[in-house]
Amino acid sequence: MLYDVRTYTCRPGTIKKHLALYAEHGFATQSRHLGKPLAYMQTETGNVNSYMHIWVYDSAGDREAKRKALQSDPAWANYLKISAEAGYLISQENRLMTAVSFFQP
């Protein structure tokens, strides 16, 4: 399994607006192509302007194919446009991870 762990940081005071925009315009489209995320969480302590989500893929090839399909979807392009125009996001960190040998999710 390949875990795509993504952490985003929003401008202070905009995280609720950003998550509402994503819920309305992005989540259904992304889930249709990638499946349901393993986790989608907002930070409770620390940098409260950040959130993270984890998507699970069978392999790097599976991830590549699903992400390619997502990127070619006009509904996803529309969400990205709306999100960019809103300007809530200031950073993104992606990490592709695998489980250690003694942990079987």
Side-chain angles (χ1 to χ4, degrees):
M1 295 300 230
L2 182 66
Y3 299 86
D4 187 351
V5 181
R6 295 174 173 244
T7 303
Y8 296 84
T9 303
C10 294
R11 295 189 186 290
T14 67
I15 193 166
K16 288 182 181 179
K17 292 176 184 179
H18 173 72
L19 291 173
L21 188 146
Y22 173 74
E24 182 177 349
H25 299 282
F27 184 69
T29 301
Q30 193 170 30
S31 295
R32 185 171 56 251
H33 291 284
L34 307 184
K36 297 293 181 196
L38 176 66
Y40 213 108
M41 300 179 281
Q42 184 175 346
T43 303
E44 182 71 23
T45 61
N47 183 354
V48 296
N49 298 302
S50 66
Y51 67 97
M52 61 84 64
H53 46 88
I54 303 171
W55 302 88
V56 181
Y57 303 96
D58 293 331
S59 64
D62 178 45
R63 178 183 179 272
E64 181 180 2
K66 288 178 177 177
R67 300 247 349 129
K68 184 176 180 179
L70 174 65
Q71 295 302 326
S72 68
D73 188 320
W76 185 246
N78 184 59
Y79 162 70
L80 293 178
K81 180 179 181 276
I82 293 168
S83 179
E85 289 170 353
Y88 301 140
L89 290 175
I90 58 175
S91 70
Q92 172 184 344
E93 177 186 340
N94 295 22
R95 291 176 287 153
L96 298 180
M97 305 183 79
T98 57
V100 295
S101 63
F102 55 83
F103 177 77
Q104 297 302 314

